[in-house]
Amino acid sequence: MTQEVKAREVAAQEATAREVEGREVEGREVEGRRGNAREVLVIGGNRYFGKRLIARLLAAGDRVTVLNRGSSAPPPGATHLIADRDDENALDSALGSRAFDVVVDQVCYTPRQAAIARRVFAGRTRRYVLTSTVEVYEYEDSVAFVREQDVDPLDVRVDLELPWDEPGFRDSHYGEGKRQAEAVFAAEPAFPHVAVRVAHVLGGGDDFTGRLEHYASRIRAGEPITVPTANRPATYIHVEEIADFLFWTVGQDFTGPVNAASHGTLTTHELCEAVAARVPDGRAVFQEVEVGEVSPLSFRRFYGMDNTRATRLGFTFGNVRQWLPRAADETLGAVN
């Protein structure tokens, strides 16, 4: 039988008496920041904006530890730990007696992974930064910009028995997995935490998603770009800007969900115009469809996030239309 419970009930089942502030847990003590350096653990994060975050932390003089499955080494200056985060015993063993001022979790995709992290890092960190996503708002079909309170993690139902370990299921339930992961951390939290809800990210020569290249190949071949009949705009953020935001968040003390998005929105047409400008004689041709598969970054619902909370907390966002041409240049260059 499927076990579906409120996030608070999950926490009650997993309740721990371990506390973070100034308390020794199983021989470990969470130590404060020594001088200007912070002890920061980044889980995953060896590509795209994760690697930019690590570079910023190292440049600031922080002591950075990177934990992954060993698929790639971190940059020089960072300590490397190898473990499968899905294996609780292996994760706990790899960490040993280490404790951190801040943990930045770049690769938590499911409530199961969040539940393991809650147990393993209770008593090991003063602050936990979860990289979440705009996709947590996938059911909020609003014509207004969505705010953090529109998806309250404490109101999200958690189902730990869904097939989260199956890659196909996890990929097709990306937003739901992140939403439930947030819920696990929010319920009776074992440490102060923040969930950074990241807008769609663009820019960089190392953009691995292939989304702008999809447009470029279609424009180059004169093939139509499929979009919904009602094609809605969305908010975006530049790869350097989200790295800046995460670095800034590491040094703050606010908690809870926070939206990270540049000012302004873009439509698929505007994205394609920026791409077409880099293709000789390029012109985007669109094909509208009522149902069926559509091109990446084209949406039947509005994916606009309100960034007021982050702005009031002190972060300054750029404007999406100002950095879009640069992002297209970085990712595509001169497309022939």
Side-chain angles (χ1 to χ4, degrees):
M1 178 181 296
T2 299
Q3 178 186 10
E4 186 171 76
V5 293
K6 278 278 191 177
R8 290 184 180 89
E9 295 172 308
V10 173
Q13 294 168 5
E14 300 180 323
T16 174
R18 295 180 293 182
E19 298 177 355
V20 175
E21 292 295 333
R23 179 171 178 178
E24 190 172 302
V25 180
E26 296 178 359
R28 302 185 301 267
E29 184 174 354
V30 178
E31 299 179 1
R33 186 172 175 179
R34 302 183 187 92
N36 292 324
R38 298 170 293 200
E39 295 286 350
V40 182
L41 172 67
V42 179
I43 306 176
N46 269 8
R47 64 177 180 176
Y48 210 32
F49 59 84
K51 72 179 184 181
R52 289 168 170 80
L53 167 64
I54 293 170
R56 283 159 170 76
L57 292 167
L58 290 171
D62 294 318
R63 289 186 286 269
V64 181
T65 300
V66 177
L67 186 146
N68 60 28
R69 290 178 295 182
S71 56
S72 57
T79 299
H80 192 194
L81 299 180
I82 298 176
D84 182 349
R85 66 158 311 140
D86 292 323
D87 185 332
E88 184 168 349
N89 291 332
L91 178 59
D92 192 69
S93 178
L95 291 169
S97 61
R98 293 175 177 87
F100 306 94
D101 293 299
V102 185
V103 174
V104 183
D105 194 341
Q106 293 279 82
V107 289
C108 182
Y109 301 116
T110 74
R112 287 183 188 171
Q113 292 174 331
I116 289 172
R118 282 186 73 254
R119 293 191 293 267
V120 171
F121 287 101
R124 288 186 186 270
T125 186
R126 295 184 182 279
R127 180 168 173 78
Y128 203 98
V129 179
L130 168 67
T131 301
S132 189
T133 174
V134 62
E135 299 296 335
V136 301
Y137 298 115
E138 62 185 328
Y139 302 133
E140 307 301 311
D141 193 3
S142 170
V143 296
F145 287 83
V146 289
R147 302 166 299 169
E148 290 84 357
Q149 56 264 41
D150 291 327
V151 174
D152 184 346
L154 292 175
D155 291 333
V156 172
R157 299 185 69 85
V158 173
D159 189 344
L160 295 174
E161 295 192 4
L162 289 172
W164 294 113
D165 295 333
E166 297 178 9
F169 180 86
R170 188 169 59 243
D171 291 345
S172 64
H173 292 77
Y174 177 69
E176 183 62 28
K178 287 287 191 179
R179 189 162 44 246
Q180 291 192 27
E182 284 191 25
V184 171
F185 283 118
E188 301 294 333
F191 32 67
H193 77 281
V194 57
V196 179
R197 294 171 175 173
V198 182
H200 302 291
V201 183
L202 296 175
D206 55 339
D207 181 354
F208 63 92
T209 66
R211 295 174 298 194
L212 293 187
E213 177 56 38
H214 171 86
Y215 296 146
S217 63
R218 292 275 176 170
I219 292 170
R220 198 165 45 229
E223 297 176 350
I225 296 166
T226 306
V227 296
T229 302
N231 190 19
R232 306 301 185 193
T235 45
Y236 293 84
I237 193 165
H238 190 272
V239 62
E240 301 291 346
E241 188 171 39
I242 187 56
D244 286 340
F245 186 86
L246 289 169
F247 175 74
W248 172 79
T249 300
V250 165
Q252 303 300 306
D253 59 6
F254 65 88
T255 59
V258 61
N259 292 338
S262 297
H263 297 298
T265 62
L266 294 171
T267 64
T268 311
H269 289 68
E270 290 171 307
L271 288 168
C272 289
E273 286 174 4
V275 172
R278 279 136 195 90
V279 178
D281 302 317
R283 184 174 69 88
V285 178
F286 297 96
Q287 178 182 348
E288 296 184 353
V289 296
E290 290 284 352
V291 295
E293 188 175 352
V294 295
S295 297
L297 303 180
S298 56
F299 307 106
R300 291 186 169 87
R301 57 164 306 277
F302 180 49
Y303 270 101
M305 289 199 299
D306 186 324
N307 63 16
T308 299
R309 183 179 189 223
T311 300
R312 288 177 175 169
L313 286 167
F315 189 83
T316 302
F317 290 102
N319 187 286
V320 65
R321 287 185 173 80
Q322 292 177 347
W323 58 250
L324 177 59
R326 174 166 62 97
D329 279 340
E330 292 166 350
T331 302
L332 300 173
V335 183
N336 296 311

